[in-house]
């Protein structure tokens, strides 16, 4: 009887472990499916609406050449429409970039973070110790974590500078984002940190937030270099880059070019 009870207990533990592994893999597949849909939407915007607007802008410029020179009302209105089309194209590009940045898919995490630092509303000191390619879900999670942290630092924390550090050790990707803002960040207030935490945990990672009042905010995340339920080789997109990393940044005396 004792042996039977023990056997049943072991069987239950094995079943629970298998169920947990299946759940983790399922969560990772959901994240990957959402990213695939996001990328498809970005591609549709680029190949559809954006290209159509660009074509219309070119046609309008051609029509403007046929308008007699001078301060006529028709020429002024055509100029307004042309400027409006250009602005619409730029806005659409910004939307598409936020959905799924092309530089991330084509070049990987390192160039994507460089572009993110250049566009940041506050100076960013970027220190990347690796330039290798990793599974796409891992790169996307790290990218959006940095993007969310920099956005919060500029819009809510009133920070003047942010430090981003990226490195790999012990088979994991480690990313740290620290700013000198007023702190007090709380994921329970409905910030994007909740969604980021869910995404990172679905990939088998961890996110830690340290944000004491008036002492800045530090976000640290750790991600495995393999996606649960998917082999590393099949998850990596794009060529690998084996070069060593270095310090790069924007508008900071201590940062590199």
């Amino acid at each position: 009887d004792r042996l039977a009870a023990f056997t049943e207990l072991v069987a239950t533990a094995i079943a629970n472990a298998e169920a947990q592994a299946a759940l983790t893999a399922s969560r990772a597949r959901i994240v990957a499916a959402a990213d695939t849909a996001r990328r498809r939407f970005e591609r549709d915007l680029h190949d559809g609406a954006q290209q159509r607007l660009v074509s219309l802008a070119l046609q309008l410029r051609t029509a403007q050449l046929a308008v007699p020179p001078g301060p006529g009302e028709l020429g002024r209105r055509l100029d307004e429409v042309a400027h409006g089309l250009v602005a619409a194209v730029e806005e659409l590009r910004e939307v598409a970039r936020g959905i799924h940045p092309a530089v991330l898919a084509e070049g990987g995490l390192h160039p994507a973070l460089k572009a993110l630092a250049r566009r940041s509303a506050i100076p960013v000191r970027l220190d990347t110790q690796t330039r290798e390619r990793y599974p796409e879900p891992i790169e996307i999670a790290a990218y959006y974590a940095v993007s969310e942290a920099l956005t919060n630092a500029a819009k809510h924390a009133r920070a003047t500078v942010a430090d981003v550090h990226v490195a790999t050790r012990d088979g994991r990707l480690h990313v740290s984002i620290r700013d000198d803002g007023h702190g007090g960040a709380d994921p329970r207030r409905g910030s994007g940190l909740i969604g980021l935490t869910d995404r990172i945990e679905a990939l088998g990672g961890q996110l830690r937030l340290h944000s004491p009042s008036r002492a800045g905010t530090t976000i640290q995340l750790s991600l495995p270099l393999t996606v649960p339920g998917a082999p590393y080789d099949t998850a990596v997109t794009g060529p690998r880059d084996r070069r060593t990393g270095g310090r790069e940044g924007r508008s900071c005396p201590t940062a590199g070019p």
Side-chain angles (χ1 to χ4, degrees), residues 177-251:
I177 312 102
R178 180 174 58 86
D179 67 62
D180 62 349
H182 55 60
D186 187 354
R188 294 173 297 180
R189 297 175 184 170
S191 71
L193 291 175
I194 296 178
L196 283 176
T197 301
D198 290 341
R199 170 188 285 271
I200 289 169
E201 289 181 351
L203 298 174
Q206 296 177 329
L207 184 147
R208 295 185 177 88
L209 172 68
H210 182 64
S211 186
S213 180
R214 304 183 185 279
T217 297
T218 299
I219 296 175
Q220 294 178 318
L221 59 109
S222 170
L223 288 159
L225 297 183
T226 56
V227 178
Y232 178 85
D233 290 337
T234 60
V236 175
T237 59
R240 293 172 181 253
D241 190 340
R242 297 289 184 181
R243 296 171 295 176
T244 57
R247 293 193 64 87
E248 303 184 54
R250 169 185 179 272
S251 303

Side-chain angles (χ1 to χ4, degrees), residues 28 32-33 36 45 55 68-69 72 111 123-124 145-146 168 171 187 189 203 208 213 226 253:
T36 299
L45 278 180
S55 177
V124 176
V146 176
T168 56
R189 297 175 184 170
L203 298 174
R208 295 185 177 88
S213 180
T226 56

